[in-house]
Structures are given as C-alpha cells and as structure tokens.
Amino acid sequence: MSATSSKKPTDPEKKPSLSYWSKDKCTCPVCKKPFPKEIMRSGNGRMNAGNLSEELHRDYIPSAKYGKVYPLIYEVGACPNCFAAFFWNDFTDIKKTEVADRMFDHSEKRKQACNNIFPYFDLKNERTLFDGAAMYYLALMTYDDADPDMIPTMKKAIISLRLAWLTNEIHQRCSGHNYDYISQVFYRKALFFYQQAVINETNRVEKSSTLGNMGPDMDKNYGWDGVIYLCGLLEYKYGQTDDIQLRLKKLSESKTAIARIFGLGKSSKNKPGPLLEHARDLYDKLAKEVNDDDI
C-alpha cells in the first residue's frame, strides 16, 4: 500500500496572507468598546511600487502570488459597534466628552449613509477594497463631528482624495455600478477640503500645516508643498467650469501660489524630486490655459 500525502487532493491552496490581527485590541474612543485591529503585512513581494501619478498616488504592480494590493485600505480603522472611524493614530481618548457624544449620537446616521454607497460593507472580517473604501467613508463622516484640535479639515481632504482613488479602483474592477461617478464626487470634495484647509491655516482657525503626515498617499509625506500643489491640480482638473471668469481667476491664483512655493523660474535645488517635476508640469498647464484666455 502506497504512502498517502498529509494533504488531501481536494484541499484548496491556502491563500497567501496580506494582513494579520494584532494581539492588542483597539479601543474605540467613542463607544469605549474594544475591537480587533487588522494590520497589513510587509515584505515578501507584497508591495511592488509602480508609478507615481500627478495626483501623488502610488500604484502597486500586481504580483502572481498576491495579485493587486491596496495598502491604503489598512490606514484607517472602523469600530464595528458605533461605526466611528479614524486614522489609527487618532484612536486615543477624545479630550472633550461632548465631541465623543456627538460622534456616538450619529452612529446610525453613519451606518445608513455608508450602506447607501457601500451596501453590505463588512467591518469584522479581513477587509477587501470595497470594505476599505467604506471605512474611509465612515472616517470622513466621523471627522465631521471633530473639533479643530484634531485637524479634521486637512484629514477630510486626504480621506476624500483617497476615496476618489479607491472608488475608481472599484469601478475598474466592477464597472456598471456608478463608482466612476462617485469617484468624481469625492474628487470635488477633496478640492473643497484642500482649499478650505489652506483658508483655515491662513485665518488661524485650524492648524492644518501641523499635521504630521499629509501624504496624500502612504509611501511619502509631501507636506505643505504637496497641499499647495494639490489645491492647484484639483482646481485645474475638477474645478467648476460654469463661470469661466471665476475659473480663470482661480487658476491664475493657483499658478501664482505654485510659482511662489516651488520657486519656479529660479533655483529650485532645495525642492528636488517628483513633486517639483509635477509642479513644473502643472504650472505650464495653468499658464497655457490662463494665457490662452487672455487674462
């Protein structure tokens, strides 16, 4: 009688793990209940960095072992009890009781709103692209109830831009469900919040520039220079076009801001790398559109 293998022929191949559950649970600062924290594993070919887009979004090349990966979806956490969601660093005690109470009171509202865009999202199992996008949307709504000390406007700008990327990925994988339209909505939200963050910084309403990591993606922090650049880029790509004179005025202001912060036309040795190259390209596009319309 021949020896038999310990593995049955019908056993499916074990799927390579992209994430793991932390031994230490995370405690929700809103409802005070613990829940498991999922963390993406690194190394072993999971993240093969590809191109950096003009929106400063890093693409990752699919691998035979892991397929397409979306590291961004692991950057936020969402409580399965009250549907409050934050960047992981914000899962600490909320200083003001009234803020936590406000967030808790809106638990059901967040759940229903999220279900409208991401029906049957799951917060308890290993997250998918769909679930990760849902968590970002929950975070966007949670930060609506945050006080200025949490720098919510800047965070909502980053979240909105990432949601635009993630919903576009959903559309690419499963078209016909209007996620291309939803992506455009989030791009316009990102435009609003990025510009509002700059206004809040200028008026000293919110210390937008003090946020530790402004991304906008997770592989590199482009800081306040990146914020100014994205304000101009998003205005150019997604700004309103009904009022042409207003559009040209905003584009002209963006061109001036980009030239000032990046020193275009002067020595720019202190700002090397891809951001400078993208800024130069955007400056040329803005200048062409503004000059072509003789303003």
Side-chain angles (χ1 to χ4, degrees), residues 8-23:
K8 296 178 182 179
T10 56
D11 285 348
E13 289 292 330
K14 186 176 181 181
K15 184 179 179 181
S17 175
L18 274 174
S19 64
Y20 66 94
W21 299 100
S22 173
K23 294 179 181 178

Side-chain angles (χ1 to χ4, degrees), residues 72-118:
L72 272 182
I73 67 175
Y74 300 94
E75 292 291 292
V76 296
C79 174
N81 178 62
C82 70
F83 305 99
F86 305 92
F87 286 111
W88 286 115
N89 287 341
D90 283 334
F91 275 92
T92 57
D93 288 336
I94 295 175
K95 297 177 182 178
K96 297 180 181 179
T97 304
E98 59 267 28
V99 174
D101 289 344
R102 189 162 62 234
M103 291 176 176
F104 186 79
D105 289 342
H106 292 158
S107 298
E108 191 61 28
K109 179 182 177 182
R110 285 192 297 273
K111 178 184 177 182
Q112 292 178 0
C114 196
N115 259 325
N116 288 338
I117 300 180
F118 304 101

